[in-house]
Amino acid sequence: VFILIIRNTGKSRRQPCPAVLDHFDQQYSEELGDLWASARAVLLDPPSWQYGVMLNRFSSVTDITQILRSQGFSSLLPQTDSESPPKFPPSSLQCYVHPHPLRFPSQAHRPGQLKQYYLLNAASLLPVLALQVRDGDKVLDLCSAPGGKAVAIMQSATPALLCCNEPDPHRRDWLAKTLESFLPPSLCSRVMVSAQDGRFVGQSEAGFYDKVLVDAPCSNDRSWLHSSDKLRGQQRLEDRARLPELQTQLLRSAISAVRPGGVVVYSTCTLSSLENCAVVEAVLKEFPDAEVENLWEEIALPLSKYFALGILVVPQPGRTWGPMFLSRIRKKR
Ligand SMILES: C[S@@+](CC[C@H](N)C(=O)[O-])C[C@H]1O[C@@H](n2cnc3c(N)ncnc32)[C@H](O)[C@@H]1O
């Protein structure tokens, strides 16, 4: 198999939206201090962005690992026989990363044919690792489209049920296509797609799930910074102000949907503390039977930066993963 790897070039450089950049400069220089200057440089430079290659364990094509290794990719997650930290629980999840911004070509959707790999920002795997899905778990992916984390969950273990919820009809179609492209028909009975408003799942399915992922709608810093025009950028800044309320409602609903002893992972792809720590903090006040767990020991990746209520991955030159915030909340027994 011949695979052409694309090196990102300056030709695809997109212009940042001045209003969004100005807003980020004000907020993030205050919240992140010196770290913002280097994160800013990465966010403004799409050709420097790295991409992870998550393998599909259900694809019968097996030579992809060899190709990746020969191109200089290496495994992001430590091999199970490795002695060196960090140690993750054994998992069949495999993702390859490259030190340079090389981009593997994406594969087209072909009905009836499973894709071999999924391209992603490797930090997106952290919420899935934190969820610690085990065989037989009942799992809810509350905000699921386009389905990257749902695919990663199914690479990690074989849950009894994975409910992928997405209320937006177009994004739900995209999600269904992703699942069809990566999962064999034999898993159909375990994986279902639902269309609920996630804010109300906690009432309708209280205490039903072992694990719930809330990969919340958020201000997606990477893409919002490159908003196509001024109006769109300004609209997004208005949306940004409203997001913490929706995120709070979704996290509240997720904690209600999990059984005592179960876990909720809350994640976003923004650096904004108002959508991250502040949301977790506000919701925890309402649930004395829930507590945040310390992920530092467990997910101590060199590209993560620790915050009191979770982990924030701040993109840095040469390690452009993130932005990604995650926090794991356990409901006491
Ligand atoms: C960050 S994206 C999820 C990405 C996805 N987890 C993945 O890894 O591919 C957030 C999703 O939440 C959905 N969403 C928005 N409002 C929602 C709500 N009230 N309940 C559930 N999902 C919602 C959006 O349509 C969007 O698809």
Side-chain angles (χ1 to χ4, degrees):
V1 179
F2 176 73
I3 292 188
L4 177 69
I5 304 204
I6 301 158
R7 185 179 276 275
N8 285 329
T9 67
K11 281 183 196 154
S12 59
R13 196 175 287 269
R14 287 175 275 167
Q15 290 306 312
C17 172
V20 176
L21 182 58
D22 197 45
H23 183 91
F24 283 8
D25 277 339
Q26 284 183 31
Q27 183 180 349
Y28 293 152
S29 53
E30 200 168 295
E31 289 182 8
L32 299 170
D34 292 345
L35 216 47
W36 171 234
S38 44
R40 181 188 198 272
V42 172
L43 293 178
L44 288 173
D45 185 24
S48 74
W49 296 355
Q50 292 158 280
Y51 294 86
V53 183
M54 173 172 67
L55 303 191
N56 184 12
R57 66 177 171 137
F58 305 110
S59 160
S60 54
V61 183
T62 53
D63 60 354
I64 198 77
T65 311
Q66 257 174 303
I67 296 171
L68 286 164
R69 285 192 188 282
S70 71
Q71 303 283 351
F73 283 80
S74 58
S75 179
L76 173 75
L77 303 170
Q79 306 299 304
T80 42
D81 56 354
S82 155
E83 284 302 305
S84 56
K87 287 189 183 124
F88 292 101
S91 166
S92 39
L93 180 62
Q94 284 193 68
C95 179
Y96 280 79
V97 291
H98 199 282
H100 302 302
L102 297 183
R103 194 178 169 156
F104 236 54
S106 32
Q107 296 182 302
H109 173 78
R110 291 206 193 94
Q113 203 173 316
L114 294 183
K115 290 189 184 180
Q116 294 164 264
Y117 56 84
Y118 188 97
L119 297 181
L120 77 182
N121 182 325
S124 301
L125 294 179
L126 299 183
V128 175
L129 292 169
L131 201 60
Q132 294 191 327
V133 176
R134 300 286 175 261
D135 293 352
D137 278 347
K138 284 185 281 183
V139 184
L140 171 62
D141 182 8
L142 192 65
C143 312
S144 193
K149 293 185 188 67
V151 169
I153 288 171
M154 295 307 292
Q155 302 302 317
S156 320
T158 309
L161 170 69
L162 171 62
C163 176
C164 302
N165 183 66
E166 175 55 54
D168 179 303
H170 298 294
R171 292 182 65 87
R172 201 163 55 248
D173 285 349
W174 188 7
L175 166 69
K177 256 190 185 166
T178 306
L179 296 174
E180 192 192 319
S181 297
F182 285 90
L183 305 180
S186 57
L187 286 175
C188 278
S189 58
R190 295 171 188 268
V191 182
M192 61 173 281
V193 173
S194 66
Q196 301 187 64
D197 183 326
R199 292 175 292 181
F200 307 114
V201 171
Q203 287 161 22
S204 55
E205 297 179 68
F208 181 74
Y209 293 97
D210 300 299
K211 317 254 157 94
V212 179
L213 175 62
V214 188
D215 189 34
C218 68
S219 348
N220 195 334
D221 291 349
R222 276 190 191 225
S223 103
W224 286 27
L225 189 55
H226 295 93
S227 299
S228 49
D229 59 64
K230 200 174 157 191
L231 266 181
R232 182 109 175 94
Q234 251 142 13
Q235 178 61 51
R236 283 177 158 169
L237 290 176
E238 281 167 33
D239 293 346
R240 184 169 164 100
R242 283 191 290 269
L243 279 167
E245 175 60 20
L246 172 62
Q247 291 157 340
T248 301
Q249 290 171 319
L250 288 168
L251 181 54
R252 191 183 287 143
S253 170
I255 295 177
S256 301
V258 90
R259 65 162 170 83
V263 297
V264 172
V265 170
Y266 175 79
S267 59
T268 73
C269 55
T270 176
L271 297 168
S272 174
S273 66
L274 298 172
E275 297 178 47
N276 296 335
C277 295
V279 170
V280 174
E281 201 167 26
V283 175
L284 277 181
K285 282 190 189 136
E286 301 169 26
F287 289 90
D289 60 339
E291 59 192 4
V292 166
E293 293 194 322
N294 185 339
L295 292 173
W296 182 240
E297 286 292 319
E298 189 180 304
I299 304 184
L301 293 177
L303 51 156
S304 57
K305 180 165 163 56
Y306 182 59
F307 277 67
L309 287 173
I311 281 179
L312 184 71
V313 180
V314 182
Q316 292 296 295
R319 293 175 305 167
T320 62
W321 316 110
M324 177 63 55
F325 170 82
L326 63 142
S327 178
R328 183 170 68 204
I329 297 150
R330 188 173 295 274
K331 205 163 173 179
K332 294 180 200 158
R333 284 177 198 278

